Amino acid sequence: MTTMEAQRPATLDNLIQQARGEDPIRVAVVNAAQAAVLKTLREAKRLGIAEPVLIGRPDEIAEAALVLGWEIDLEAVIEADSETEAARRGVELVLDGHADALMKGHIHTDTFMHILLGSGLRQPGRRVSHVFLVDVPDCPRLLAVTDAAVNIAPDLDAKAQILHNAIELMHMVGVTTPRVAVISAVETVNPAIVSTLDAACLTLMARRGQITGAEVDGPLAFDNAISERAAREKGIDSPVAGKADILLMPDLISGNVLAKNFEYHAGATAAGVVMGLTVPVMLSSRADPPEARLAGLGVAALMYLAGIRLALPSSGEVESSFCCSPQPESTCRPREVH
């Protein structure tokens, strides 16, 4: 096994164990009245990964905790009567320095992200994007799938920034030189398939130093991105083919479908986090099991310990260095919430 391979965490449990060796982070949990959420938080507290700050309706949180046999201090619960208010209270906690990270509880993703994107948590000049770290049985490494929850139809510039975020996350969890497969339906450039053109541009941008910190290749179809056998049979000569760490998807729909296919058909665990904000944010599906949420907390703890706040520019707006057409801000939000 090479040094590069040895540095790659093989499972999400590896990351949880790393987080256990550090001080717990304070996590503001938005709308915490859900059994799966509270079960996750109880385990994270037991392992010393997180100290939860619960937000929501105290009576509902108490009822859900009672089912688990977990006694909680209701006086410490931050009261919020709606999803929107809970999200706003969570943002206030981290902005005021009373929490280190945010966790999505029993709240719709669009409501949660709408509040976050409109808050003071955004890093100037940075696109916000989502990454699933996926632990697939029989796969010797973790896979990062992006973007599956925030950017709906990213153009070339947006994909470059989404890729930057994913590379940064992999560095935070210990993968020093992640291999990036820019995914499309085929592995050849076809002008009729825009995602193949974007993939070719991103590959060239990496070779020219516009994207750094990773090996990037594309377009690659999904099979030859993760299967060395498929890559050999198709005659693909690439340092990434069959060995990808990051799967940069063409759009949100394909990313979301792939991540959930991993979970429901391949028995995978997927930890979802948001990049481009000044604090770690865990973003999972409301149907995700406690194991996936606990892994997300572990990843968030490592993000915090890696010094995510150090990525903040000292002052002013930072212009994108990718120099491509801008992506309308409206495409970052699933829908407007009033």
Side-chain angles (χ1 to χ4, degrees):
M1 180 180 290
T2 66
T3 302
M4 181 181 292
E5 292 291 347
Q7 292 172 336
R8 285 172 160 75
T11 68
L12 287 172
D13 189 59
N14 294 150
L15 301 183
I16 292 172
Q17 295 307 315
Q18 288 180 39
R20 288 189 67 182
E22 306 291 344
D23 292 334
I25 60 172
R26 300 167 299 168
V27 180
V29 186
V30 176
N31 234 29
Q34 185 184 19
V37 172
L38 292 174
K39 184 177 181 181
T40 302
L41 296 171
R42 181 176 63 177
E43 182 65 6
K45 185 176 177 65
R46 185 187 71 82
L47 294 174
I49 295 173
E51 288 292 337
V53 181
L54 306 180
I55 306 169
R57 294 187 176 94
D59 56 338
E60 293 181 0
I61 292 173
E63 183 179 350
L66 183 62
V67 174
L68 299 174
W70 186 24
E71 284 192 34
I72 59 174
D73 181 5
L74 287 181
E75 292 185 1
V77 173
I78 307 298
E79 186 169 358
D81 291 329
S82 68
E83 289 188 349
T84 299
E85 184 183 358
R88 286 177 177 154
R89 296 301 298 272
V91 169
E92 290 170 2
L93 284 170
V94 293
L95 288 176
D96 292 341
H98 298 305
D100 304 315
L102 276 168
M103 178 179 177
K104 173 181 174 285
H106 195 58
I107 177 175
H108 288 85
T109 295
D110 49 7
T111 302
F112 185 66
M113 289 306 303
H114 178 75
I115 299 300
L116 265 61
L117 290 171
S119 72
L121 295 179
R122 299 189 67 164
Q123 294 189 32
R126 288 285 297 275
R127 173 165 291 272
V128 176
S129 64
H130 181 271
V131 184
F132 269 123
L133 277 181
V134 185
D135 185 347
V136 184
D138 299 326
C139 183
R141 63 193 176 279
L142 292 174
L143 298 174
V145 177
T146 191
D147 186 330
V150 176
N151 292 275
I152 297 173
D155 64 3
L156 176 58
D157 180 61
K159 287 177 181 177
Q161 296 180 63
I162 291 167
L163 178 53
H164 171 78
N165 286 345
I167 293 169
E168 183 178 73
L169 176 62
M170 296 303 273
H171 289 173
M172 287 179 179
V173 300
V175 183
T176 55
T177 310
R179 304 182 186 101
V180 179
V182 188
I183 301 297
S184 186
V186 294
E187 61 278 352
T188 54
V189 176
N190 184 338
I193 305 176
V194 175
S195 59
T196 67
L197 300 176
D198 289 347
C201 288
L202 291 167
T203 301
L204 184 58
M205 290 167 72
R207 292 177 182 173
R208 298 281 176 88
Q210 288 178 271
I211 298 171
T212 59
E215 289 186 280
V216 181
D217 196 18
L220 289 172
F222 175 71
D223 58 348
N224 47 61
I226 65 166
S227 168
E228 292 186 71
R229 179 187 60 80
R232 284 195 305 270
E233 290 184 358
K234 291 187 176 182
I236 299 172
D237 182 14
S238 163
V240 172
K243 302 175 183 178
D245 300 296
I246 298 173
L247 304 175
L248 180 64
M249 304 305 293
D251 53 37
L252 181 145
I253 295 172
S254 57
N256 195 277
V257 169
L258 177 62
K260 290 180 178 177
N261 194 29
F262 275 139
E263 289 184 272
Y264 287 92
H265 283 174
T269 301
V273 294
V274 178
M275 300 295 293
L277 300 173
T278 60
V279 295
V281 174
M282 286 139 285
L283 181 60
S284 57
S285 168
R286 285 171 295 158
D288 277 347
E291 294 80 10
R293 299 170 191 267
L294 181 63
L297 281 168
V299 174
L302 295 178
M303 290 170 63
Y304 184 78
L305 293 168
I308 188 171
R309 288 183 181 273
L310 298 179
L312 275 170
S314 57
S315 63
E317 290 290 323
V318 178
E319 184 178 355
S320 168
S321 63
F322 300 114
C323 302
C324 303
S325 60
Q327 175 78 349
E329 182 64 23
S330 60
T331 64
C332 287
R333 301 177 181 181
R335 67 178 176 84
E336 292 294 318
V337 178
H338 302 285

